[in-house]
Amino acid sequence: MYLVISVFRTPALIFTLQSPVVNNFLDPNEPTSSEARQSRMHFLDNQRKVDYVLVYHYRNRGAHPSHGSFSHPRAPLAVISNGEMGKEPNAAGQGNMMIEMGPLDALEEEKKEQREQFEYKLMEAGLELEKDLENKSQGSSFVRIHAPWQVLTREAEFLKIKVPTKKMYEIKSKGTIAKKFNDIVQKMTSPLQPRVPEHNDKMKNLSYPFSREKMYLYNIQDKDTFFDNATRSRIVLTIFIFPSFTGIHSLIAHNIYEAAYPLHDVGILLSLSFEKQCKLLYQEWACYGVFYKFQPIDLIRKYFGEKIGLYFAWLGLYTSFLIPSSVIGVIVFLYGCATIEDDIPSKEMCDENNGFTMCPLCDKSCDYWNLSTACGTARASHLFDNPATVFFSIFMALWATMFLENWKRLQMRLGYFWDLTGIEEEEVSYLEHSRPEYETRVREKMLKGQKNHVQKMETDKTESEDEDDDELTWKDRLPGYMMNFASILFMIALTFSIVFGVIVYRITVAAALSLNKSTRPNVRATVTATAVLINLVVILILDEIYGAVAKWLTKIEVPRTEESFEQRLILKAFLLKFVNAYSSIFYVAFFKGRFVGRPGSYVYVFDGYRMEECAPGGCLMELCLQLIPNLSTHLFPTSLLKTASSESKHPEQWDLDYSLEPYTGLTPEYMEMIIQFGFVSLFVASFPLAPLFALLNNVIEVRLDAKKFVTELRRPDAVRTKDIGIWFDILSGIGKFSVISNAFVIAVTSDFIPRLVYQYSYSHNGTLHGFINHTLSYFNVSQMKEGTQPENSHFGQEVLFCRFKDYREPPWAPNQYEFSKQYWSILSARLAFVIIFQNLVMFLSVLVDWMIPDIPKDISDQIQKEKSLLMDFFLKEEHEKVKLIDSAQRSPKSLTPSFRHFSRQSSRHSSQSQRGSQRGSHASSASQHTIV
Amino acid sequence: MYLVISVFRTPALIFTLQSPVVNNFLDPNEPTSSEARQSRMHFLDNQRKVDYVLVYHYRNRGAHPSHGSFSHPRAPLAVISNGEMGKEPNAAGQGNMMIEMGPLDALEEEKKEQREQFEYKLMEAGLELEKDLENKSQGSSFVRIHAPWQVLTREAEFLKIKVPTKKMYEIKSKGTIAKKFNDIVQKMTSPLQPRVPEHNDKMKNLSYPFSREKMYLYNIQDKDTFFDNATRSRIVLTIFIFPSFTGIHSLIAHNIYEAAYPLHDVGILLSLSFEKQCKLLYQEWACYGVFYKFQPIDLIRKYFGEKIGLYFAWLGLYTSFLIPSSVIGVIVFLYGCATIEDDIPSKEMCDENNGFTMCPLCDKSCDYWNLSTACGTARASHLFDNPATVFFSIFMALWATMFLENWKRLQMRLGYFWDLTGIEEEEVSYLEHSRPEYETRVREKMLKGQKNHVQKMETDKTESEDEDDDELTWKDRLPGYMMNFASILFMIALTFSIVFGVIVYRITVAAALSLNKSTRPNVRATVTATAVLINLVVILILDEIYGAVAKWLTKIEVPRTEESFEQRLILKAFLLKFVNAYSSIFYVAFFKGRFVGRPGSYVYVFDGYRMEECAPGGCLMELCLQLIPNLSTHLFPTSLLKTASSESKHPEQWDLDYSLEPYTGLTPEYMEMIIQFGFVSLFVASFPLAPLFALLNNVIEVRLDAKKFVTELRRPDAVRTKDIGIWFDILSGIGKFSVISNAFVIAVTSDFIPRLVYQYSYSHNGTLHGFINHTLSYFNVSQMKEGTQPENSHFGQEVLFCRFKDYREPPWAPNQYEFSKQYWSILSARLAFVIIFQNLVMFLSVLVDWMIPDIPKDISDQIQKEKSLLMDFFLKEEHEKVKLIDSAQRSPKSLTPSFRHFSRQSSRHSSQSQRGSQRGSHASSASQHTIV
């Protein structure tokens, strides 16, 4: 049972609109495709489209359902009698009703009143409402909202929504070569294109902000479909957050409504109406079978709005940019595999004849050992630690810049085709409105301020007025900021201490295991595996915690607008999650094994435990080992963890949608991808396969996200936005940081520089022969500290000097064990490399940034052309107007044209060439005098 | 004698506008201040303002002045009879005139025809023209243009020019503390404020794009002054460059007109009319007496348009930012002076007891010398080479960031107050129109293409059409680009070779002078002074040449639009001038003295001449010496070189203005300042007084530029622009580059790092005692190459070892003269410093950039507020419109308000609270239920 609320007879503003509304919707000339109208997306009259749905929970305490509602069909009217749709609403009647319904809960009553107030205002603003009868003792009730043509046009004019005009124009693809190339590309990629209705790529409607005074400009065929569903719901949402209203977000926050959402169009899956977008979206987008295809971005945008459209466009671009980097990454890896046999240092390490006797890896229980036993890791490390990696990381730094530049261009292109150019200045978005929490705080403050003021006035009458009460100043915010600052510091410290804890775990467990002879061979493997596991679990747990903490901290800050709330939350969450995800990796990359000391003077933690060293293959190998599991936690598409639960068979679309999960923003999706982007770019020097893994993940991720949006979430509000906002800044920040981080990985973590220096400065024949010997210093075992010598040495031979990996003076030099000249020269080379690499790559990035214009050439041409077309279009209207006046006013004597010589130059503009042609032969002869 | 051309009787479009135009200008109700109208800025009727002036040169060959013009007052009419302002214009009459005028030069005739064509089009577009009689055999003739109200409103609507509406609102300065602080600042700076008419800072009109349909919105008191002069001339200019026109720039390029400019308002210096801007500008801005005051930026913008306003705002901000940096620079310098006595290294150098015997500075003719003789330069170099410099250069790097950030904010603030928000998208600026040179090239190409096409068609009928003919592709541009690339490379090579030439000059002349005993003591001073002078002259000459070359190269490129022409020109000119100005400095800073070799193995150029070394005081001293003269060439305000020549006593404003220099753009002004900015920021580590010098220069520069604009140049077209364009990118590029350059100056050029390393690693007692000894290596004089020993050594004592400044192994070490361990460790420290400094400063810059929002808080609040006010304003209009319809339509039964419970919440919006209050007591009781 439904009850149509209309305010046609209310004496306020809206009633005068009555007749046109009705005419509009009952217009028999309208093309009514009755199948479509039979769907569950309309009011009971099957005419008016549901543009938005509000849901609230009601309780009819004390009122018997059988009596209050069912048997007395007019009773529910009373509930909404304030809405004035009853035929006989008067004060006396209402009094009766109140008694009939019994004593309602006070809170419930107040909520109801606020709902009614809100709904009244909606009706006053011209919206039309349909409401379910509250025929149970309690339950969810739906308020369905329809925006009639008047409201749509009014708001579209206020919002300056750009709509297509009648004027079409051709989008010329300039240049025959470019055109041919385009055609070839199009043919080749056609199997990859989603099968969506052919969008005419060659023609575009000239768009112009909607104005009711210029109605004749627009191509209005069907008033029902002129504004698409996303725009309609956006307009309704705009009314919801109208300045003089208590915004809908505040009402939901205060539990007066439970939910507010526009309707999905999934319901018309089988219909053949104009709205088969969603079916298409499902088949051509949210489906694993089409993983190889491009996404139907225009359709996504049309259905979900620009914000979500941009996310998927971004994700698509990112994924496709991963393809070349994966390919090159694989090539680099294969190069490492292919050259593994030619690598002299690893051959030297594996050569048992060299017989480098290494100093023991731990005190007492460890024995001297032969370097050739570490042959395996040495060979493995060559896979990632070879010259190709350097070029790959330069490539990836430029790749990141290219990606960002191309994103800017794609964003511009989409902005042009989606008519977003020039929106930001005009539109009042709900994101700019004060958040309910903020308003509450301000109100609290004002109350307090008034109290204080009154007190002050009593004590000191001369005090001037304090005008700060209507907003929060830094003084009010200071506790929040302090709390934020302290908490974030604490969280970061927590992360660091967990990393340190894992280190301590590794050191102590390794030491403990080394005591036991049977476990000794597998010590390193066991310890590394368990430590990585512990680390992983901790990271996953902390990640969840930090997400919650960031939200809580942002709430404490009480930002004024939804927009700044989102931004602050993102920044905080990103900072915490970034530190959490990367700190252990940074430790391995830049700190592990650097504070070990030297034989005879080791650095000890918690006295007795030596600091851990990298494996003999080098720290790069360890970095890679650390990276893979961390990366994989961010690769497993998290959406898989969620299960769809929307299989209820309720017939109404609003019920169906209500059973879905509410949409909570794109932040988690972006965050996941950004952290992944970090893995791909920050340490790419140590793990060239990262882009490949990311690519494989993202191919699935796109479809998973798509499925989620199409089938698991309520339809999000269509939000217009030009760009991806703060995410772009974060991405470009990561891009910049990755340059430095890769420079250090190559210079400090890998053996690239020492090899280079050895080859060109120390080697006798310009090869790497003797490199391993060069990197190992000598230690006189007799100088070992008392009690740290190996107990029960089983090493085959007498040991006088053992070797360790460092550049130090030998025991026989005057300044024994000091850093040698080699150490300093290699350090200089490393640092010089960092400077050169960083500045070179930064310079190249700037160059790439500068070479690739932010606005694609064809788009800027089109925008230019559109401007002048628009001007022409208007001028034509203008001239016609003037002509009309002219023909009405002109005096007979001026009727005969008395000019002869003047005409305009041959003009491309139809309006003028028309008139020009009327001037006959003289015109054409005069035009020969035009400037050439 | 004047002739008023009006097209009122022409049968075309404009005539219908006749009566309103006349009414408007003869309206007796209009407030006519007759004094103002007597000025020389109006048509003969003293009513119509001259908005623009076209000047052309005519020759009446064969026509006797006494006959053709003076005695026959109707004759000149014939010249413009096509304009249709004569009473009896017909073909026959014109034929007569032609004969009467005699045989005109064919070219002259054609030009005249084109002028007439152009003027006809202007009239057709609604403009009104007044023209001098061509009463001499040849001379300059003026066409004065007036834009009537119809044209102004039409174009203002097309251009979406924002104009003030009736609605005023208060700009609230938020926060009592901020307010008080503001008041104090305002009081303190009030003597520094220019005395211009009080702009009401507290109130601002709500602006809205002009629309003729919404005329009631605007506060139109006087149609003559509603659009200010700058806007009026801008509108006329817009018509000039209308798509279907051959633009005025093309006509001037083809010499059809000589000049086109709006009029200065200087003429009304003594009048008391509303337009005393210019007098004010002269007194309060373009005058040395007010050098200490702020500039009246709003007035400048009103008079000259936004582009020039922004330049002066930028210059003002830059100058005021130089104040703190000058102060700190002076402090740093004074710190150097104060600590000169405590500087241990220079004391050690000056101590003759140390007796460091230095190796000879040149072969043969130079003797051994004692380091203490270089005491003077050592002491001087301490002035600039002390730890305070490091902090100063960090400060200056952040200063540059702060400056740019503050400029962004100021730009936003000005944009808000000047109603520039949201203009870029809408306005078709003349900068976006094709340049005449481009069009000519395209036309040439099309002609050629057609020919080819015809030929092709003849030979091969199947060939499809080539559509590339209407624009230049990269193929057409390739020769230009190649030429550009080659020329720029050549120019840069030229600059480098001149720098090298100066080096060779120094080396050879020094060697030659050293041979002569009498000149020997002053060799260094003489050579340095002459070299600097030569360098200076060459730089000044090349600067001029490069300016011309850049222009020529840009012309070769044939950029399509004026905008891209300007951008390309600026980039090229900047690149060439930058290299020219800085290459000698870069040489001294980073290369001089680094390729000297060592005693016994010097590096020779042109065999026999040793590479030059830095003076014993260090390269920083030399850098400073190089910097001062270079800086001074850019400090001497170039405008001083130009003399004003506008003292003619001609009575008419257009004649006066015609005698002034044409305005040619802001590029030279900006370029000068940007190169100066480079001096201030790039090498600030070596010369902390640079900001002070720049400040002193700029205080004069501002007034000089102002004088130039007010008295020496024709009034520039008012160009609307939101920002300073490419200059900002160049500035921020210099800012970034300065971080790296300063890092290297401190690390490599100065002795800061070696001292630090010595103090903390080598010194026995943690002081710098022994530092000089540490920096000097030993050389065994017996190993000197044959023939390079000093001839006739007069050095007092026997020399076994001489010293030289380098870190090398002593002669007694096994690997003698190799770089020592100290060398490598100090190099490592230097490089590490560069990395840390660069990344730290870059990080701080990003932080500063991020912490300071680009849009000032109060401005973003105001913009926000303006948006919602505008929406309210419209809604009010809307409601009133609906009410009117309502009251006309409503039926009697709905007249009595049947609602009782609903009302709106207490609202700030007047339109709603008015109605709200009518609802009486029920309303107020209901409002207690509102959500709190």
Side-chain angles (χ1 to χ4, degrees), chain A residues 349-614:
Chain A
M349 259 180 95
C350 295
D351 190 356
E352 285 178 34
N353 300 329
N354 276 323
F356 297 115
T357 308
M358 302 299 291
C359 298
L361 287 170
C362 60
D363 294 350
K364 280 190 193 167
S365 54
C366 297
D367 204 349
Y368 301 106
W369 56 289
N370 202 309
L371 190 59
S372 60
T373 57
C375 173
T377 54
R379 289 170 65 93
S381 85
H382 174 75
L383 293 182
F384 305 112
D385 192 355
N386 61 57
T389 322
V390 177
F391 297 102
F392 188 55
S393 49
I394 295 177
F395 167 81
M396 283 303 285
L398 295 182
W399 172 87
T401 314
M402 289 282 283
F403 167 58
L404 291 176
E405 277 305 302
N406 271 283
W407 170 244
K408 274 194 240 167
R409 285 164 68 86
L410 181 60
Q411 205 167 253
M412 272 307 300
R413 187 179 295 275
L414 293 176
Y416 166 69
F417 282 106
W418 296 352
D419 286 327
L420 295 177
T421 43
I423 64 151
E424 87 200 304
E425 306 280 357
E426 308 297 348
E427 202 163 315
V428 181
S429 147
Y430 87 96
L431 291 172
E432 286 175 14
H433 274 264
S434 297
R435 301 183 72 237
E437 288 85 352
Y438 177 82
E439 304 242 298
T440 313
R441 269 293 294 275
V442 169
R443 221 167 288 131
E444 278 169 14
K445 192 194 165 190
M446 280 169 90
L447 283 174
K448 216 168 130 196
Q450 277 165 8
K451 257 186 225 162
N452 286 348
H453 197 59
V454 170
Q455 285 172 359
K456 241 188 221 160
M457 288 291 275
E458 282 165 3
T459 53
D460 178 11
K461 303 261 175 187
T462 59
E463 189 67 27
S464 69
E465 258 184 286
D466 191 352
E467 287 184 17
D468 275 358
D469 274 354
D470 62 343
E471 65 171 14
L472 295 185
T473 59
W474 62 269
K475 263 196 266 172
D476 305 301
R477 287 230 175 88
L478 195 62
Y481 284 146
M482 298 286 282
M483 188 69 199
N484 257 285
F485 189 71
S487 307
I488 289 174
L489 275 192
F490 172 74
M491 292 291 149
I492 291 176
L494 180 67
T495 312
F496 286 160
S497 51
I498 283 169
V499 171
F500 187 70
V502 173
I503 296 168
V504 170
Y505 165 83
R506 268 201 298 253
I507 295 172
T508 51
V509 172
L513 289 179
S514 304
L515 291 177
N516 188 335
K517 221 180 259 176
S518 63
T519 52
R520 211 173 290 170
N522 314 321
V523 169
R524 187 169 279 276
T526 321
V527 170
T528 304
T530 51
V532 162
L533 212 71
I534 291 171
N535 202 22
L536 214 65
V537 171
V538 170
I539 285 176
L540 284 177
I541 294 171
L542 280 187
D543 205 55
E544 289 299 311
I545 295 175
Y546 285 172
V549 166
K551 205 157 199 165
W552 175 70
L553 285 176
T554 315
K555 271 183 188 153
I556 279 183
E557 264 191 85
V558 203
R560 198 176 65 78
T561 64
E562 205 62 51
E563 202 176 7
S564 71
F565 183 88
E566 206 183 358
Q567 279 203 2
R568 278 153 200 261
L569 174 61
I570 288 172
L571 268 185
K572 267 191 268 293
F574 174 74
L575 187 67
L576 292 175
K577 291 192 173 194
F578 185 87
V579 170
N580 184 32
Y582 291 108
S583 53
S584 61
I585 297 174
F586 271 93
Y587 165 73
V588 173
F590 302 125
F591 301 105
K592 191 173 181 181
R594 279 169 219 291
F595 308 104
V596 181
R598 60 168 179 86
S601 144
Y602 283 114
V603 174
Y604 291 94
V605 278
F606 301 132
D607 67 14
Y609 296 107
R610 261 164 62 182
M611 276 302 287
E612 55 179 356
E613 292 180 58
C614 288

Side-chain angles (χ1 to χ4, degrees), chain B residues 97-144:
Chain B
M97 294 303 171
M98 293 291 277
I99 293 157
E100 220 178 313
M101 282 190 299
L104 285 184
D105 204 9
L107 185 71
E108 202 61 20
E109 172 84 354
E110 197 181 298
K111 279 187 185 175
K112 178 178 279 192
E113 196 143 352
Q114 282 176 3
R115 272 200 294 274
E116 282 162 359
Q117 217 166 8
F118 183 71
E119 281 157 23
Y120 175 80
K121 274 190 219 150
L122 292 186
M123 289 186 282
E124 202 184 39
L127 294 177
E128 293 167 11
L129 273 63
E130 186 184 61
K131 211 169 167 179
D132 289 337
L133 284 176
E134 298 178 1
N135 50 13
K136 296 181 208 154
S137 68
Q138 66 174 18
S140 292
S141 186
F142 293 89
V143 181
R144 290 175 290 282

Side-chain angles (χ1 to χ4, degrees), chain B residues 633-675:
Chain B
T633 66
H634 288 273
L635 281 180
F636 189 66
T638 49
S639 321
L640 272 182
L641 303 172
K642 296 162 194 159
T643 52
S645 62
S646 61
E647 293 311 305
S648 97
K649 288 289 160 215
H650 206 287
E652 301 295 351
Q653 186 61 41
W654 40 89
D655 285 314
L656 269 179
D657 281 9
Y658 181 56
S659 71
L660 298 177
E661 296 268 312
Y663 162 79
T664 52
L666 285 167
T667 307
E669 270 77 22
Y670 270 118
M671 189 70 79
E672 200 184 327
M673 282 297 116
I674 298 267
I675 297 278

Side-chain angles (χ1 to χ4, degrees), chain B residues 8 36 46 49 148 158 168 209 285 369 443 521 550 621-622 627 901:
Chain B
F8 292 162
N46 264 342
K49 205 186 271 171
F158 286 161
M168 300 268 282
W285 182 49
W369 55 288
R443 221 167 286 130
M621 188 63 211
E622 295 231 349
L627 213 52
H901 268 70

Side-chain angles (χ1 to χ4, degrees), chain A residues 96-324:
Chain A
N96 290 343
M97 295 302 173
M98 292 291 277
I99 291 155
E100 218 176 314
M101 283 190 299
L104 286 182
D105 202 9
L107 186 71
E108 202 61 20
E109 172 83 353
E110 197 181 300
K111 279 187 185 174
K112 177 178 279 193
E113 194 143 354
Q114 283 175 1
R115 273 198 294 273
E116 283 161 358
Q117 216 166 6
F118 183 71
E119 282 155 23
Y120 176 80
K121 273 190 220 149
L122 293 185
M123 290 187 282
E124 203 185 38
L127 295 175
E128 292 168 11
L129 274 62
E130 186 184 61
K131 214 168 166 180
D132 290 337
L133 284 177
E134 296 178 1
N135 50 13
K136 296 181 207 154
S137 68
Q138 67 173 21
S140 291
S141 185
F142 293 88
V143 180
R144 289 174 291 282
I145 297 167
H146 168 76
W149 178 245
Q150 274 77 359
V151 173
L152 292 175
T153 53
R154 189 187 67 210
E155 297 296 323
E157 183 172 327
F158 287 161
L159 291 176
K160 295 194 178 124
I161 293 176
K162 282 194 179 176
V163 292
T165 61
K166 282 173 190 160
K167 177 101 183 165
M168 300 268 281
Y169 68 94
E170 195 185 351
I171 297 173
K172 248 205 310 192
S173 58
K174 298 280 175 85
T176 39
I177 303 163
K179 206 175 170 183
K180 271 176 198 161
F181 180 74
N182 249 355
D183 287 348
I184 293 168
V185 168
Q186 218 149 38
K187 237 172 239 169
M188 278 178 47
T189 58
S190 65
L192 302 183
Q193 297 292 349
R195 276 172 299 136
V196 292
E198 264 309 302
H199 210 72
N200 195 343
D201 279 348
K202 301 281 169 215
M203 300 294 283
K204 185 177 185 293
N205 277 85
L206 203 61
S207 291
Y208 190 73
F210 190 83
S211 162
R212 282 170 296 174
E213 279 141 355
K214 301 199 170 69
M215 214 74 128
Y216 54 89
L217 291 179
Y218 313 110
N219 197 10
I220 305 173
Q221 286 166 342
D222 182 353
K223 285 179 177 176
D224 270 11
T225 56
F226 182 68
F227 295 105
D228 60 25
N229 284 2
T231 309
R232 293 176 74 106
S233 61
R234 193 154 64 85
I235 284 173
V236 175
L237 193 66
T238 317
I239 295 172
F240 282 180
I241 52 129
F242 204 71
S244 56
F245 277 36
T246 307
I248 183 71
H249 297 94
S250 170
L251 293 176
I252 290 174
H254 290 88
N255 246 322
I256 288 154
Y257 286 100
E258 218 177 324
Y261 51 87
L263 284 186
H264 262 302
D265 288 352
V266 192
I268 37 170
L269 265 180
L270 294 170
S271 82
L272 291 168
S273 78
F274 49 85
E275 276 170 315
K276 46 182 178 176
Q277 299 168 2
C278 201
K279 188 187 179 185
L280 274 169
L281 277 181
Y282 191 80
Q283 284 187 345
E284 291 295 320
W285 181 50
C287 183
Y288 295 112
V290 293
F291 73 92
Y292 58 91
K293 284 189 183 179
F294 293 113
Q295 301 176 80
I297 290 294
D298 284 329
L299 220 59
I300 298 169
R301 169 250 172 176
K302 232 179 173 176
Y303 191 83
F304 289 110
E306 282 76 8
K307 195 173 182 181
I308 292 170
L310 278 179
Y311 167 69
F312 282 103
W314 178 83
L315 187 56
L317 188 76
Y318 173 49
T319 305
S320 59
F321 256 79
L322 281 174
I323 297 172

Side-chain angles (χ1 to χ4, degrees), chain B residues 131-262:
Chain B
K131 211 169 167 179
D132 289 337
L133 284 176
E134 298 178 1
N135 50 13
K136 296 181 208 154
S137 68
Q138 66 174 18
S140 292
S141 186
F142 293 89
V143 181
R144 290 175 290 282
I145 297 168
H146 168 76
W149 178 246
Q150 274 76 0
V151 173
L152 292 175
T153 52
R154 188 187 68 209
E155 297 297 321
E157 183 172 329
F158 286 161
L159 291 175
K160 294 193 180 126
I161 292 176
K162 282 194 179 177
V163 291
T165 61
K166 282 172 192 162
K167 176 101 181 163
M168 300 268 282
Y169 68 95
E170 196 186 350
I171 298 173
K172 247 203 311 191
S173 58
K174 298 281 175 85
T176 39
I177 303 163
K179 208 175 172 184
K180 272 175 198 162
F181 181 73
N182 250 353
D183 288 347
I184 291 168
V185 168
Q186 219 150 36
K187 236 173 240 169
M188 277 177 49
T189 59
S190 65
L192 302 183
Q193 296 291 348
R195 275 172 299 135
V196 293
E198 265 309 304
H199 211 71
N200 195 342
D201 279 348
K202 301 283 169 212
M203 299 296 282
K204 186 176 183 295
N205 277 85
L206 203 62
S207 291
Y208 190 73
F210 190 84
S211 162
R212 282 169 297 175
E213 279 142 354
K214 300 199 171 71
M215 215 72 130
Y216 53 89
L217 290 179
Y218 314 109
N219 195 9
I220 304 172
Q221 286 167 341
D222 181 354
K223 284 179 177 176
D224 270 11
T225 56
F226 182 68
F227 294 106
D228 60 25
N229 284 2
T231 309
R232 293 175 73 106
S233 62
R234 193 153 66 86
I235 285 173
V236 175
L237 193 67
T238 317
I239 295 173
F240 283 179
I241 51 129
F242 204 71
S244 56
F245 277 36
T246 308
I248 183 71
H249 297 94
S250 170
L251 292 177
I252 290 175
H254 289 87
N255 244 324
I256 288 155
Y257 286 100
E258 218 178 321
Y261 50 89

